[in-house]
Amino acid sequence: MSATIENSPSSGTVAPRRRYSRWASLAVLCAGTLMTVLDGTIVTVAMPAIQSDLGFTGPGLAWVVNAYLIAFGGLLLLAGRLGDLVGRRRMFTAGLAVFTLASVLCGTATGQGMLIAARAVQGAGGAMASAVVLGMLVALFPEPREQARAIAAFSAVGAAGGALGTFLGGALTQALNWHWIFLINLPIGVAAWLAALRVLTPERGAGLGRGADYPGAGLVTGALMLTVYVIVGAGDRSRTVTLLLAALALALFTAFALRQARAARPLLRLRLLRSRVLTGANAVQVLMIATMYGFQFIGALYLQRVLGYGALATGTAFLPAPVLIGVLMLGLSARAVARFGGYRVLMAGLVLITAGMALLGRAPADGSYLTDVLPAMLLLGAGFAAAMPALTGLAMSGARAEDAGLASGLFNTTQVVGGSLGLAVLSTLAASRTEGLLGRGEALVPATAEGYRLAFRVATGIAVAALLLAGAVLRPRRVNSR
């Protein structure tokens, strides 16, 4: 029995496909997505080894992650638009190729500048591949029930992949060295690229003559990069310079908004932001993802630099999180949303995330994994598994059908922005607090632990802000039946 892919001028999809090949296509898309998601976090456990080998400062080390996240987030909207113009399969395979080649450059890096630049190219390749995946899935699975299953599998891969990267990073770093967390992408990327060429259906894009808002992409990417630079380096420059750079970042964001209001083919149609639910969901996501990235980055450093764990032990210690996220997201989250509604499930998830971060805020210098880390990790994993699908559904419900692709790109972008900004803020606070205590004669381990506790407490405050914002903005409006 065969199933036909929807053939429409806007999607550019063609040709009937056998039923089994659609699921093979899903496997290829998930594999490509998993590789890009993993590289957002796989470096976390390898950070001390990278810092020791290449001589990074504490705030500078965060750029190994931020260079990837900012390039990824800043280019998603443009990559999605180009995918519509040149064909989604072509954009996906090109993204895999760029990502794989950049991984080799990362793995062979011998200096700070080379590694950061290669990570930025990696992020660009990841954006090219990731921006078109959801649109391809919708075209492959037009029937609602199968589409729901496909998106659930894709969401579970994305959600669990971030935490799974911590384990793989630890295993590779300890068994080999930190270079292999990047070099391992070469065989995987080549295999995924060849499979994509064989399995995915070629598409006819609208053509480059339709145009894309390249100046707008430059403005928003520059604004995002400058914003994180301002936060990461705030402690190393004068307050006047920091304020001037922050004003410049705000000016770039303003210029981007003005450009989108006037451009013939904008990257972001501003009318989309008039939706209370869509805008609120994206704002909540920025705060929630900032909290979760803080947990992954600072939590891994706490295990290594305070509790004395090695890279492999740290990665293994993080394994309960992706396992729990995958099990709950595939088995329970969708049914919970169907029964209780997205808003209630989201609020329950945010409560669990807040509780988990609050527990980490008490983690002492002589702490224990079983009592001070694992319970918080389980709360955070369960909370994220509940909150993320509910938040995604709420965000997409706030967009009209013709804006679904753009709403998806915006949601992906705010996810990356939240992660990069959260990482920049929390890592800078932790480093500044630790340095201040060391300057007053405090011992290294207690000072380091106090810096991480401060980061966890600030992350708890961010989670509380996400909870309050969701309650104020996303609560369903009552309909008066009288």
Side-chain angles (χ1 to χ4, degrees), residues 337-436:
V337 170
R339 180 172 180 179
F340 300 107
Y343 171 76
R344 291 181 178 177
V345 176
L346 170 63
M347 296 299 287
L350 290 174
V351 168
L352 292 175
I353 289 172
T354 302
M357 290 307 307
L359 284 180
L360 285 175
R362 301 169 56 252
D366 58 349
S368 164
Y369 170 74
L370 290 177
T371 59
D372 298 305
V373 179
L374 182 59
M377 184 181 297
L378 295 178
L379 286 172
L380 288 164
F384 188 75
M388 193 62 194
L391 191 61
T392 303
L394 288 169
M396 297 306 294
S397 72
R400 294 185 289 187
E402 63 267 26
D403 292 325
L406 182 58
S408 174
L410 177 63
F411 195 70
N412 287 333
T413 301
T414 57
Q415 184 175 113
V416 178
V417 169
S420 59
L421 292 180
L423 177 58
V425 170
L426 297 175
S427 62
T428 300
L429 287 173
S432 297
R433 178 61 172 164
T434 297
E435 290 173 4

Side-chain angles (χ1 to χ4, degrees), residues 105-280:
L105 293 177
C106 289
T108 56
T110 56
Q112 297 179 18
M114 181 178 177
L115 179 58
I116 291 174
R119 285 285 284 168
V121 177
Q122 249 194 333
M128 293 166 65
S130 300
V132 296
V133 170
L134 193 54
M136 296 174 77
L137 287 182
V138 171
L140 282 167
F141 299 94
E143 196 274 321
R145 183 178 300 177
E146 288 189 338
Q147 186 179 108
R149 290 171 57 195
I151 292 178
F154 172 74
S155 298
V157 166
L164 185 60
T166 308
F167 169 74
L168 294 178
L172 290 170
T173 299
Q174 184 145 326
L176 300 168
N177 56 57
W178 68 263
H179 297 275
W180 283 95
I181 67 175
F182 302 113
L183 294 177
I184 193 65
N185 287 331
L186 179 59
I188 298 173
V190 170
W193 183 75
L194 292 174
L197 291 178
R198 181 177 180 84
V199 173
L200 299 179
T201 306
E203 296 175 325
R204 292 189 302 270
L208 285 174
R210 295 289 299 275
D213 184 18
Y214 303 109
L219 287 170
V220 72
T221 303
L224 291 171
M225 294 182 69
L226 184 56
T227 298
V228 177
Y229 175 73
V230 169
I231 296 171
V232 170
D236 299 326
R237 65 176 77 93
S238 69
R239 181 176 301 179
T240 300
V241 173
T242 297
L243 291 175
L244 287 174
L245 292 175
L248 179 57
L250 180 60
L252 289 175
F253 276 119
T254 302
F256 171 71
L258 293 174
R259 171 76 187 179
Q260 300 315 287
R262 299 175 181 176
R265 297 182 179 91
L267 282 178
L268 177 62
R269 289 187 286 275
L270 296 182
R271 62 176 171 80
L272 194 66
L273 302 180
R274 297 173 186 168
S275 168
R276 171 184 60 89
V277 174
L278 184 144
T279 302

Side-chain angles (χ1 to χ4, degrees), residues 77-88 91 132 208 211-212 214:
L77 292 176
L78 177 61
R81 174 60 179 162
L82 290 177
D84 291 336
L85 299 179
V86 304
R88 292 173 187 149
M91 180 59 64
V132 296
L208 285 174
Y214 303 109

